[in-house]
Amino acid sequence: MAFQLQSLPYAYDALEPYIDTLTMQIHHDKHHATYINNLNGIIEKYPELAGKSLEELLGNINALPEDIRTPIRNQGGGVWNHNIYWEIMGPKAGGEPKGKLAQAIEAAFGSLTNFRTEFEKAAIGRFGSGWAWLVKKGSGLAIVSTANQDTPLSDGLTPILALDVWEHAYYLKYQNRRAEYASSFWNVVNWEAVAGKYAAK
Ligand code: MN3
């Protein structure tokens, strides 16, 4: 069965004023949808890959036929990365993580404030297009950034928080001010969703 575009778990205007409605419409309905269509176009030509999950495809890219490794990394990554990005945001969100996740962040980064600073640095410092991530790494947490639609899944890491820093994610509202977009992001982070991903597996 072909991959389906995951619906936004909230309305297009739910993240206002931090992420604007038009950006959400174009980002989800055009950009994300295009990755889905392109990915399905690739899989169609390789029936042996049909039925594999994105995690299976992206977690072991070198097992794929050589000519589709880069296309799957780009298009499959584009699908998976946006799925988690929508999932970890929400309306009336923000605030602080609680419980075990809060403890793990403190253990890895010293404090929540320090974590935010380091995460924003990863987002701002990514040259060109890409992502900033909080990932499970071994028994702890780490911040990484990836280029383009590369995903930490391909490095054996488990992402639990994602920030899209492609210009399409923020340019209509923030123009060249990526730092402002990154610091506004904390107002829409759904920490319960992040904690759910932290607790999984
Ligand atoms: Mn995007």
Side-chain angles (χ1 to χ4, degrees), residues 12 23-25 28 34 38 52 56 73 101-102 104 120 124-125 153 158 160 162 169 183 185-186 194 196 201:
Y12 294 108
T23 293
M24 291 299 288
Q25 287 169 335
H28 179 270
T34 299
N38 290 345
K52 282 203 188 289
E56 287 173 305
R73 198 168 82 209
L101 175 60
E120 287 175 37
I124 297 160
L153 282 180
T158 306
I160 63 170
S183 61
F185 174 61
W186 304 118
V194 180
K201 276 202 283 195

Side-chain angles (χ1 to χ4, degrees), residues 127-177:
F127 184 75
S129 297
W131 293 77
W133 304 92
L134 176 63
V135 300
K136 283 161 73 169
K137 185 179 184 184
S139 60
L141 293 173
I143 293 168
V144 296
S145 89
T146 58
N148 304 313
Q149 295 297 356
D150 291 359
T151 171
L153 282 180
S154 303
D155 299 318
L157 302 168
T158 306
I160 63 170
L161 178 70
L163 180 59
D164 188 342
V165 296
W166 284 58
E167 284 186 343
H168 66 234
Y170 62 87
Y171 209 84
L172 292 179
K173 181 176 176 69
Y174 296 97
Q175 292 85 46
N176 60 320
R177 304 186 306 279

Side-chain angles (χ1 to χ4, degrees), residues 4 6 8 10 12 29 58 62-63 81 120 124 142 148 160 183 194:
Q4 307 283 326
Q6 190 172 296
L8 267 190
Y10 34 76
Y12 294 108
D29 296 1
L58 294 166
N62 288 334
N81 295 346
E120 287 175 37
I124 297 160
N148 304 313
I160 63 170
S183 61
V194 180

Side-chain angles (χ1 to χ4, degrees), residues 45-192:
K45 299 190 192 105
Y46 289 83
E48 71 270 28
L49 298 179
K52 282 203 188 289
S53 70
L54 276 176
E55 287 81 1
E56 287 173 305
L57 294 171
L58 294 166
N60 202 358
I61 283 182
N62 288 334
L64 299 171
E66 206 172 340
D67 57 325
I68 57 165
R69 286 177 196 166
T70 298
I72 293 278
R73 198 168 82 209
N74 291 340
Q75 309 302 333
V79 172
W80 196 89
N81 295 346
H82 287 93
N83 284 346
I84 183 173
Y85 178 59
W86 310 134
E87 286 166 9
I88 55 79
M89 296 192 290
K92 300 188 179 75
E96 298 189 355
K98 297 190 183 88
K100 287 190 173 152
L101 175 60
Q103 288 164 16
I105 287 175
E106 209 156 295
F109 308 104
S111 68
L112 180 63
T113 305
N114 198 42
F115 159 68
R116 284 181 173 155
T117 305
E118 294 301 314
F119 187 89
E120 287 175 37
K121 263 191 222 168
I124 297 160
R126 164 52 52 193
F127 184 75
S129 297
W131 293 77
W133 304 92
L134 176 63
V135 300
K136 283 161 73 169
K137 185 179 184 184
S139 60
L141 293 173
I143 293 168
V144 296
S145 89
T146 58
N148 304 313
Q149 295 297 356
D150 291 359
T151 171
L153 282 180
S154 303
D155 299 318
L157 302 168
T158 306
I160 63 170
L161 178 70
L163 180 59
D164 188 342
V165 296
W166 284 58
E167 284 186 343
H168 66 234
Y170 62 87
Y171 209 84
L172 292 179
K173 181 176 176 69
Y174 296 97
Q175 292 85 46
N176 60 320
R177 304 186 306 279
R178 188 191 285 186
E180 204 181 308
Y181 161 67
S183 61
S184 297
F185 174 61
W186 304 118
N187 294 294
V188 294
V189 170
N190 177 348
W191 284 111
E192 276 178 36

